[in-house]
Amino acid sequence: MATFDEQRLDDERALAEVDPGLSLRALAGAGAQVRTAVHAAAEAGLDRLEGLGPRGVVVGAAGGSACVGDLLEALTRVGGAVPVQTVTSAPLPGWVGALDLVVAVSQSGRAAGALALAAEAGRRGASLLTVGAPDSPLADLSARHHGIHVPVRVDGAGSRTSMWAQAAPVLLAADVLGLASVPPGLLAELADVLDDRARRSGPATESFDNPAKLLACEVAESAAIVLGDGPFGGVAARRAAEMFGRTGRMPVTSGALPDAASQVVACFDGPLAGQGDAGGGGRDIFADPFLDGPSRPPLRLVLLRDTSPLPPPDPRAADGAELVDDPSVAARRLAQTVESVADDAGVRISRVDSDASSPLLRLASHVALTDFAATYLAIGHGYDPATSPHVQLLRGARPGHA
């Protein structure tokens, strides 16, 4: 079994040997991906979507691109007048027709799932927006069906390390369509957030001062649960769990508050929690691995926390009026309660904080750090973060999901 060697994370030669596909470099360029994609969207004529007024929107994305659909759903969940649904493979939902918009996303432009969905959208007469490599089968399909294709090319990056290049045009489309407010200025801020995370979490920053390397070390020795709050926190938590599994090769579960609170807290009195160890959280020094079997990895709670300033108190509270909690305040309170319960139970806790005022910017900050951490997790175990031999075996059976 591969052992995690944290010294690899600060060794330039080891990083070069284990990461020949330059996954870390691609993640470090996420901010540049956003800026380039915004320019490509303008050149592609994304403004032609203005006034389209679709009845519904379907996002077709799978694998490393799937987070794009989750992100659009979170953006439009509150206040959106048009339903948004994400699908990973054909067929399209039965209700999709000429009054609807289908967005097909594939970094390579060759994913079978995105191609099948785009082709079906064309046959049904739906409006079509595609995002992917230029001069690709997806670009050709879009042209044949009079769609808009936004070409994104990220040299040396796969779908998992080019998420923001794929997401930026879709976010701009949401703004043009009036589904959500995502002006170019917000995307410029998002790119800056990604640049800042890359400076603090990139390979040049040593482990003792690098939050992503520290998180990788903590997850490597744990059975981790990633927990976010609300729609955006849920997207970030799911993305983190997928990256820890697909890139880092570690099975990690995820949840979103408030729904996952009971499920997560119930694990705190289970066999992996701190109170299940000898001495209330410490490893039993008298345990014999030959007689007692190997020890199980301890539970770790990875909290994606919103540390932005709370909104000012409602002045009606001073008059004794009965108020309904602001959802963001209620979510913060619940997260603090879960954290307190975990601490009391002896569960190890990793905190990933973001004080950005915008939910989208907080999500970007959380995703950027956990993407780096998942990549360091693979490298620390000696695995190429870009390539899995076992995933290669699936490509013939599931070409759209590899």
Short mmCIF file of all heavy atoms in Angstrom, two decimals, residues 41-42 44-51 148 176:
data_model
loop_
_atom_site.label_atom_id
_atom_site.label_comp_id
_atom_site.label_asym_id
_atom_site.label_seq_id
_atom_site.Cartn_x
_atom_site.Cartn_y
_atom_site.Cartn_z
N ALA A 41 -15.66 34.34 -24.83
CA ALA A 41 -17.13 34.42 -24.87
C ALA A 41 -17.59 35.66 -25.62
O ALA A 41 -18.56 35.61 -26.41
CB ALA A 41 -17.68 34.42 -23.45
N ALA A 42 -16.90 36.77 -25.39
CA ALA A 42 -17.26 37.99 -26.11
C ALA A 42 -17.01 37.83 -27.60
O ALA A 42 -17.82 38.24 -28.45
CB ALA A 42 -16.46 39.17 -25.55
N ALA A 44 -17.09 35.12 -29.28
CA ALA A 44 -18.03 34.14 -29.84
C ALA A 44 -19.42 34.71 -30.04
O ALA A 44 -20.28 34.06 -30.63
CB ALA A 44 -18.08 32.91 -28.95
N GLY A 45 -19.66 35.91 -29.51
CA GLY A 45 -20.99 36.52 -29.66
C GLY A 45 -22.00 36.02 -28.66
O GLY A 45 -23.17 35.82 -29.00
N LEU A 46 -21.57 35.88 -27.42
CA LEU A 46 -22.47 35.40 -26.39
C LEU A 46 -23.64 36.36 -26.17
O LEU A 46 -24.71 35.95 -25.70
CB LEU A 46 -21.70 35.20 -25.08
CG LEU A 46 -22.33 34.29 -24.03
CD1 LEU A 46 -22.41 32.86 -24.53
CD2 LEU A 46 -21.52 34.33 -22.74
N ASP A 47 -23.45 37.61 -26.53
CA ASP A 47 -24.53 38.59 -26.35
C ASP A 47 -25.74 38.30 -27.23
O ASP A 47 -26.81 38.88 -27.04
CB ASP A 47 -24.02 40.01 -26.61
CG ASP A 47 -23.38 40.18 -27.99
OD1 ASP A 47 -23.24 39.17 -28.71
OD2 ASP A 47 -23.03 41.32 -28.32
N ARG A 48 -25.59 37.38 -28.19
CA ARG A 48 -26.75 36.99 -29.02
C ARG A 48 -27.82 36.27 -28.21
O ARG A 48 -28.95 36.11 -28.67
CB ARG A 48 -26.29 36.10 -30.18
CG ARG A 48 -25.57 36.85 -31.30
CD ARG A 48 -25.22 35.92 -32.43
NE ARG A 48 -24.07 35.09 -32.13
CZ ARG A 48 -23.82 33.91 -32.70
NH1 ARG A 48 -24.69 33.40 -33.56
NH2 ARG A 48 -22.74 33.25 -32.39
N LEU A 49 -27.46 35.83 -27.01
CA LEU A 49 -28.45 35.18 -26.15
C LEU A 49 -29.41 36.18 -25.51
O LEU A 49 -30.46 35.79 -24.99
CB LEU A 49 -27.74 34.40 -25.03
CG LEU A 49 -26.94 33.16 -25.44
CD1 LEU A 49 -26.18 32.62 -24.24
CD2 LEU A 49 -27.86 32.09 -26.02
N GLU A 50 -29.06 37.47 -25.57
CA GLU A 50 -29.90 38.48 -24.92
C GLU A 50 -31.30 38.48 -25.53
O GLU A 50 -31.46 38.49 -26.76
CB GLU A 50 -29.27 39.86 -25.06
CG GLU A 50 -29.96 40.92 -24.23
CD GLU A 50 -29.18 42.22 -24.20
OE1 GLU A 50 -28.10 42.29 -24.82
OE2 GLU A 50 -29.66 43.15 -23.54
N GLY A 51 -32.29 38.44 -24.67
CA GLY A 51 -33.67 38.45 -25.13
C GLY A 51 -34.20 37.08 -25.52
O GLY A 51 -35.35 36.96 -25.94
N ILE A 148 -24.25 28.63 -30.48
CA ILE A 148 -23.10 29.49 -30.16
C ILE A 148 -22.06 28.59 -29.49
O ILE A 148 -22.35 27.93 -28.49
CB ILE A 148 -23.51 30.62 -29.20
CG1 ILE A 148 -24.56 31.52 -29.85
CG2 ILE A 148 -22.28 31.45 -28.81
CD1 ILE A 148 -25.13 32.55 -28.89
N VAL A 176 -26.36 37.31 -19.18
CA VAL A 176 -26.98 37.81 -20.41
C VAL A 176 -28.45 37.40 -20.48
O VAL A 176 -29.31 38.18 -20.90
CB VAL A 176 -26.22 37.29 -21.66
CG1 VAL A 176 -26.96 37.64 -22.94
CG2 VAL A 176 -24.81 37.86 -21.70
#
